[in-house]
Amino acid sequence: MKKMMSDEYAVYLPAVNSTYANCITKPILPNRPFLNTIQLTDLEFWNKNSKLFYHPHYLHSVGQYSVGKAPDNAVTRRGKTDGVLIGDSGGFQIGKGRLKGIVGLRNGLSADAIFEVWHDAYDAKQWIMSWLETYTNYAMTIDMPLWSTTAKGNESPFHVCSIQQLTDLTVDNLKFIDTYRQHKTKWLNVLQGVDRQGVINWWNAVKWFDCSGYALGGNAGHYGGLKNTLATLLMLRDDNALIAGRDWIHILGVSTTKWAVMSTAMQTALQSINSNIRVSFDSASPFQTAGRGEEYVITPNFGLDKKDWVLRSTKCPQSTLHFGSNEPLPFSSPLANKLTLGDLNITNDIFANKQFDSLSCTILCNHNVWSFLDAFQTANNLVFANNRSEVPTLLIQCVDFVAEVFTAPDWQTALDNNTQLLTEFDKW
């Protein structure tokens, strides 16, 4: 089975959710239409034996589970040689106060009380660390998200805490990992901040931790825009933090074609410092689009207009009229090409809320993952393997600038002098 993306390009990590991982391990209900030429295990795209497509890199978050639980699904059944799994430590759920099983964490407590609850959450921290070491190839350190102090986090229990308190708790988490880790996974030190100076302050607090690379969140990564992401990487370079052994840079929470291309441009620049560096980026979008909206993703047309580079989605036909239909699906992918509308619309009850079941949505998820991967491969080919004739000028300028800024004698001035270009990229 041919891999979906070239190793020359930055790696997209589909953020597989527990719903998908559970569904493809359950038996198909009797009389539920499905192909007899493939099995649900073929939807494990990280498995090189899949009959559909093969993409060995993906992400999964421990924050989807309750503290102390040991879920059994397609992700936890994998072997560590079956693809490369990067584990998220559940920072989003922790920040939202939604990580199940933490005793005493609730809104209405004082900052000092919240600080003590997490400081004393030994069982939760031990479970997170053990889960990540058991199942993942790389794992993000347990960071306390600083966005919880902003308007975005006004419903978070940690909203009352200061940036310094959350930084101190993160340092405690790092000390915990440093003390108890069994070196069964490679740790990515999470970097973040609410502004540029905040990123620098955070880095100075956490850079002592011995790691295998970094995960860029908040203003350290794409949420801060291209300028701040480049500034973070150049700061790491100047601090001699990209030495051999620190070989993975992950950009949290982004999955657009422009960032797929830019991630490859940054990977190329970074490999002049450390030839083993890989850059990755992730999102749950393929799964959310299918699960929440029951929509399928359409690969972009790709042209000189920036709008041609946008991944879009549309509602999948769902009606009792399609029950038992042999009509082909209105979208194309290795799995979709084998199915009909009748394979998704499995209910003939006009009073039912919908005609899809969980497997219908799982099928859409698999298609969406393929569409994202196909789009990112095509986008990178157009920029780095072809003559750029179908590439927007803005994207070409930004790719060229990434190469230039890593060789600039004064990169901060170079960034400042190109603020307008980088801002235009962010607004795209």
Side-chain angles (χ1 to χ4, degrees):
M1 181 61 62
K2 183 179 179 180
K3 286 172 61 176
M4 280 297 295
M5 290 191 69
S6 169
D7 288 338
E8 297 178 5
Y9 301 147
V11 181
Y12 173 56
L13 306 179
V16 177
N17 59 27
S18 59
T19 301
Y20 187 88
N22 289 333
C23 186
I24 60 180
T25 60
K26 294 179 179 179
I28 300 174
L29 295 176
N31 300 320
R32 202 275 183 215
F34 194 68
L35 294 167
N36 56 16
T37 57
I38 65 170
Q39 299 176 334
L40 287 183
T41 52
D42 288 309
L43 276 68
E44 296 177 6
F45 53 82
W46 55 89
N47 188 330
K48 62 185 177 182
N49 295 318
S50 170
K51 295 178 182 178
L52 298 173
F53 65 92
Y54 175 50
H55 181 65
H57 301 91
Y58 61 116
L59 181 144
H60 196 66
S61 176
V62 68
Q64 300 176 81
Y65 306 109
S66 296
V67 172
K69 298 297 183 181
D72 178 26
N73 57 41
V75 170
T76 59
R77 290 180 186 180
R78 67 180 282 279
K80 284 196 174 182
T81 59
D82 297 333
V84 176
L85 173 59
I86 294 186
D88 190 299
S89 57
F92 177 81
Q93 289 81 5
I94 293 170
K96 288 287 187 179
R98 295 176 185 169
L99 183 61
K100 299 175 183 177
I102 298 182
V103 178
L105 186 62
R106 64 181 188 276
N107 288 318
L109 298 178
S110 67
D112 289 343
I114 289 290
F115 186 96
E116 289 303 317
V117 167
W118 182 260
H119 182 270
D120 296 339
Y122 174 89
D123 290 344
K125 287 182 278 191
Q126 181 64 48
W127 172 75
I128 291 171
M129 189 183 75
S130 297
W131 196 98
L132 293 170
E133 290 218 320
T134 299
Y135 297 113
T136 71
N137 303 90
Y138 290 84
M140 295 177 208
T141 52
I142 309 171
D143 64 307
M144 310 306 290
L146 299 184
W147 52 254
S148 62
T149 66
T150 69
K152 179 182 176 182
N154 59 5
E155 296 182 358
S156 166
F158 295 96
H159 187 63
V160 296
C161 295
S162 68
I163 288 177
Q164 188 59 54
Q165 285 177 310
L166 295 178
T167 304
D168 290 344
L169 284 175
T170 299
V171 172
D172 282 347
N173 295 340
L174 289 175
K175 291 178 179 178
F176 186 94
I177 294 171
D178 198 42
T179 300
Y180 296 107
R181 61 179 162 182
Q182 300 297 308
H183 299 282
K184 295 178 181 179
T185 191
K186 298 179 180 180
W187 291 94
L188 302 180
N189 199 352
V190 178
L191 308 183
Q192 58 167 311
V194 295
D195 54 30
R196 185 72 237 146
Q197 186 57 49
V199 172
I200 296 171
N201 296 342
W202 181 278
W203 168 240
N204 288 329
V206 305
K207 64 182 179 180
W208 59 270
F209 180 75
D210 186 17
C211 61
S212 297
Y214 306 94
L216 311 186
N219 266 56
H222 105 275
Y223 292 104
L226 181 56
K227 181 178 180 179
N228 280 331
T229 303
L230 291 170
T232 300
L233 295 175
L234 289 159
M235 175 186 71
L236 293 176
R237 181 200 65 180
D238 290 355
D239 225 353
N240 200 33
L242 300 175
I243 57 176
R246 298 183 180 181
D247 301 331
W248 203 285
I249 306 291
H250 182 66
I251 303 172
L252 283 155
V254 61
S255 61
T256 57
T257 56
K258 66 176 185 177
W259 272 95
V261 168
M262 210 53 56
S263 296
T264 296
M266 289 185 281
Q267 175 176 281
T268 301
L270 290 168
Q271 286 177 346
S272 66
I273 305 164
N274 174 352
S275 61
N276 293 321
I277 283 182
R278 295 302 303 273
V279 173
S280 61
F281 54 104
D282 82 276
S283 76
S285 299
F287 304 92
Q288 292 174 345
T289 301
R292 295 178 184 176
E294 296 169 342
E295 297 180 344
Y296 61 89
V297 172
I298 304 168
T299 302
N301 294 323
F302 293 108
L304 289 173
D305 193 320
K306 293 180 291 185
K307 295 178 181 178
D308 295 335
W309 285 62
V310 177
L311 281 154
R312 293 183 171 85
S313 62
T314 190
K315 199 80 171 179
C316 187
Q318 184 172 175
S319 168
T320 55
L321 296 175
H322 301 305
F323 178 78
S325 172
N326 290 320
E327 184 180 349
L329 294 175
F331 48 92
S332 178
S333 65
L335 179 56
N337 294 345
K338 300 176 183 295
L339 300 175
T340 66
L341 284 173
D343 292 318
L344 271 63
N345 290 270
I346 55 92
T347 301
N348 196 28
D349 183 357
I350 61 174
F351 297 105
N353 291 329
K354 59 183 181 178
Q355 282 65 52
F356 286 4
D357 64 356
S358 59
L359 180 51
S360 303
C361 292
T362 299
I363 290 168
L364 289 179
C365 288
N366 185 268
H367 162 81
N368 289 348
V369 169
W370 182 89
S371 294
F372 271 70
L373 292 169
D374 183 56
F376 299 150
Q377 176 74 20
T378 301
N380 275 293
N381 283 342
L382 288 170
V383 174
F384 298 105
N386 295 342
N387 59 14
R388 297 183 172 186
S389 62
E390 300 174 78
V391 181
T393 302
L394 174 62
L395 189 56
I396 295 174
Q397 291 173 333
C398 289
V399 167
D400 291 343
F401 175 72
V402 170
E404 293 169 6
V405 75
F406 273 85
T407 59
D410 181 356
W411 58 261
Q412 185 61 67
T413 298
L415 286 176
D416 291 340
N417 289 343
N418 286 273
T419 297
Q420 182 176 349
L421 172 68
L422 303 177
T423 301
E424 288 180 15
F425 173 87
D426 294 336
K427 290 180 178 179
W428 172 4

